[in-house]
Amino acid sequence: MKISQLLSWKGEIKRKHYLTWGIILFAIKYNLDRLIALSFDRNWYIIDYYLRVDELSNLETGTTAFNFYLALLISSLPFLWSGTVLCLKRIRNANLSPALVLLFFIPYLNFILFIVLASLPEKKQKGESKENYLKRMLPDNKLGSALISVGVAVIITFILAFLFVEQMGNYGWSLFVGLPFLMGYLSVYLYGRRNPISFKEASMLSLTVVMVFCGTTFILAFEGIICLAMGFPILFVVAWIGAIIAYAIQDHHKAATYSFPIIFVLIAGLIEAEIESSPPVHSVSTTVIIEADKQSIWNELVAFSEIDSPKEFLFKTGIAYPTHAEIIGTGVGAIRECHFTTGYFKEPITIWNEPELLRFDVAQQPPPMTEWSFHEKLHVPHLDGYFRSIEGQFKLIQESNGTVLLEGTTWYTHDIWPGFYWTLWSDHILHKIHYRVLNHIKEKVE
């Protein structure tokens, strides 16, 4: 490796040197940008290269923000030259069209171009079969083949997931079933083209690819740790199924290759099904027995007092939990405000049957959680409107032994699929929220 490889347009460069130079230059560029950001009293993360790509054009000249981005732009000029030179030389080495170098200047596509050029082998020799051409993309040793296979599967899945979530607002079957299946299938398919793979290796590869995908999603600030932990079980199970199917047909390369169009068609079909689907309404009811009269219970539940800090681990992970409630007015039409750690629910009263039944609509609600992330102010799309509380009620039932059964119910919908899986989580969380309120009322009146 020589510095001259970064300066002259002439000649070619092997993929090993191209990949090494790419990593070195990116490391230098990223840390230089971080230093520039610190000098402007700002933070700068890897994901900012993509999230803020159009921000400069919207800034007024002379402002601090404009000067910051201008400094970043000026500092990037040497790297633009070197990157263009390296891409052009590597394109020649892979016997591709020089016009592909234009992709280097297009956000998002430049990242894909780098991965492709770092993976493609040198010029194909005459008489070499397509199968050997694919094999040459993978290293001889098992670890290297596994790393490339997992890397390619994660990159393709991540790009598709980004399109589904950020561009289409899709949190459905295609995201949680179609893409994990593709990820597990693709990683084992690629690995199996170079090395025979056992059932155990296929299973471990599916686990690895899901863990790398989740880690990448977290590091790039596309998701927080709590939601990733909640989604991990279904991601792994589906990826494992895809991996085992690829393992089962590893000796039938044509069948394995021709199955990819079928997988993409199925994913597209899942997307269409989600667009046409309306989320069902779910209800969750929780009860406690209270040794007190109904009127005392009613007086407390209408506007319950401040609740102590939670002891449950669930509420220490960022899940929103209730703190207190207030009410403005009495009777039907009164406005109840149930305060959570992320804001408050605005609840117009629809039934006021004192002291038997209190029912209310939900006119406004706060985010359901605060995500755990080392990125400041992480706010992912599913926090906005994908979980919707519709209605709630408290019902008091007099028991024959003198106690009162207090029942809290919430009606809700969510636009995250598959519904059967995410309903398990939402029902569990709502039960915990109900118990926190009901048990507090119980402690106050007994």
Side-chain angles (χ1 to χ4, degrees):
M1 291 176 57
K2 300 178 181 179
I3 296 295
S4 59
Q5 290 178 313
L6 306 177
L7 305 176
S8 174
W9 295 93
K10 299 179 181 180
E12 301 178 357
I13 188 171
K14 294 183 178 180
R15 63 173 175 175
K16 178 174 67 174
H17 294 163
Y18 172 80
L19 177 61
T20 304
W21 273 123
I23 294 173
I24 292 174
L25 290 174
F26 179 78
I28 296 173
K29 178 70 170 66
Y30 175 55
N31 285 284
L32 176 61
D33 290 344
R34 291 179 64 193
L35 290 175
I36 294 174
L38 287 174
S39 69
F40 282 86
D41 196 26
R42 288 169 168 260
N43 292 317
W44 188 261
Y45 303 105
I46 293 176
I47 192 61
D48 290 328
Y49 290 114
Y50 299 97
L51 294 184
R52 302 184 181 181
V53 67
D54 294 325
E55 198 167 318
L56 181 59
S57 61
N58 297 322
L59 299 176
E60 295 182 3
T61 58
T63 63
T64 302
F66 180 86
N67 293 335
F68 166 62
Y69 284 105
L70 184 61
L72 289 181
L73 180 61
I74 294 173
S75 70
S76 70
L77 295 178
F79 297 92
L80 286 172
W81 174 273
S82 300
T84 306
V85 168
L86 288 174
C87 285
L88 188 58
K89 288 183 173 182
R90 182 67 187 97
I91 287 171
R92 289 197 197 107
N93 181 254
N95 200 25
L96 300 173
S97 171
L100 289 175
V101 75
L102 295 175
L103 298 179
F104 178 73
F105 300 94
I106 303 176
Y108 305 105
L109 295 183
N110 52 12
F111 180 69
I112 299 175
L113 177 66
F114 175 77
I115 298 301
V116 171
L117 293 180
S119 303
L120 288 175
E122 283 72 31
K123 295 177 181 178
K124 182 180 175 183
Q125 302 298 322
K126 292 183 178 180
E128 184 179 16
S129 68
K130 291 182 179 180
E131 182 177 348
N132 289 335
Y133 182 78
L134 179 59
K135 285 183 176 180
R136 288 178 58 200
M137 293 181 61
L138 301 169
D140 293 332
N141 61 85
K142 287 190 172 184
L143 178 59
S145 292
L147 291 175
I148 296 296
S149 301
V150 168
V152 171
V154 167
I155 290 169
I156 292 175
T157 305
F158 185 82
I159 293 171
L160 291 174
F162 176 82
L163 293 174
F164 288 168
V165 173
E166 298 294 333
Q167 305 301 320
M168 301 172 59
N170 185 296
Y171 282 91
W173 285 89
S174 54
L175 183 67
F176 291 105
V177 176
L179 291 189
F181 182 91
L182 174 65
M183 184 164 53
Y185 186 97
L186 183 58
S187 61
V188 172
Y189 167 81
L190 291 175
Y191 182 88
R193 300 291 288 191
R194 186 68 175 178
N195 305 279
I197 186 169
S198 65
F199 181 87
K200 181 179 179 181
E201 288 174 329
S203 299
M204 291 302 299
L205 205 57
S206 66
L207 175 61
T208 302
V209 74
V210 173
M211 292 179 66
V212 172
F213 175 79
C214 289
T216 303
T217 304
F218 175 71
I219 292 172
L220 296 182
F222 280 100
E223 191 56 82
I225 192 69
I226 302 306
C227 285
L228 287 173
M230 293 168 66
F232 186 87
I234 189 170
L235 294 179
F236 170 63
V237 169
V238 177
W240 179 81
I241 293 173
I244 297 309
I245 291 177
Y247 158 77
I249 61 176
Q250 64 177 314
D251 293 330
H252 305 280
H253 294 314
K254 286 187 176 181
T257 302
Y258 293 160
S259 62
F260 280 110
I262 298 175
I263 294 173
F264 281 106
V265 168
L266 289 175
I267 293 175
L270 291 173
I271 295 173
E272 183 179 3
E274 291 152 11
I275 293 173
E276 299 297 329
S277 299
S278 298
V281 176
H282 305 277
S283 66
V284 176
S285 295
T286 311
T287 60
V288 295
I289 298 293
I290 301 179
E291 296 181 358
D293 63 276
K294 293 167 68 174
Q295 189 61 51
S296 297
I297 299 172
W298 175 273
N299 294 339
E300 180 64 25
L301 70 83
V302 168
F304 57 85
S305 57
E306 191 79 24
I307 308 179
D308 294 335
S309 298
K311 298 178 181 179
E312 299 93 333
F313 174 76
L314 176 69
F315 294 135
K316 297 180 180 180
T317 63
I319 299 292
Y321 58 85
T323 58
H324 65 285
E326 303 171 344
I327 192 164
I328 303 172
T330 58
V332 174
I335 301 297
R336 186 172 183 266
E337 294 181 354
C338 188
H339 291 260
F340 277 61
T341 49
T342 56
Y344 70 91
F345 285 82
K346 185 177 181 180
E347 303 167 345
I349 304 301
T350 56
I351 297 178
W352 181 290
N353 185 11
E354 184 177 352
E356 306 284 344
L357 178 65
L358 181 71
R359 176 172 286 195
F360 46 85
D361 290 334
V362 177
Q364 172 186 309
Q365 69 179 60
M369 65 186 302
T370 300
E371 283 283 13
W372 272 11
S373 174
F374 55 78
H375 291 268
E376 295 180 1
K377 299 180 181 180
L378 173 64
H379 190 85
V380 294
H382 66 75
L383 297 182
D384 297 323
Y386 284 84
F387 173 88
R388 296 186 298 277
S389 182
I390 299 174
E391 194 176 15
Q393 76 171 26
F394 290 100
K395 188 176 184 180
L396 294 84
I397 302 173
Q398 186 71 55
E399 300 288 292
S400 58
N401 60 2
T403 62
V404 174
L405 177 72
L406 176 59
E407 178 187 75
T409 302
T410 297
W411 286 267
Y412 73 94
T413 66
H414 62 69
D415 284 337
I416 304 180
W417 306 82
F420 71 87
Y421 177 79
W422 291 104
T423 299
L424 295 175
W425 284 106
S426 54
D427 284 2
H428 174 71
I429 292 171
L430 284 172
H431 275 304
K432 290 293 186 181
I433 291 173
H434 288 173
Y435 276 125
R436 175 171 167 80
V437 173
L438 298 183
N439 286 331
H440 171 74
I441 295 172
K442 176 181 173 72
E443 291 175 3
K444 288 295 182 181
V445 300
E446 282 189 344

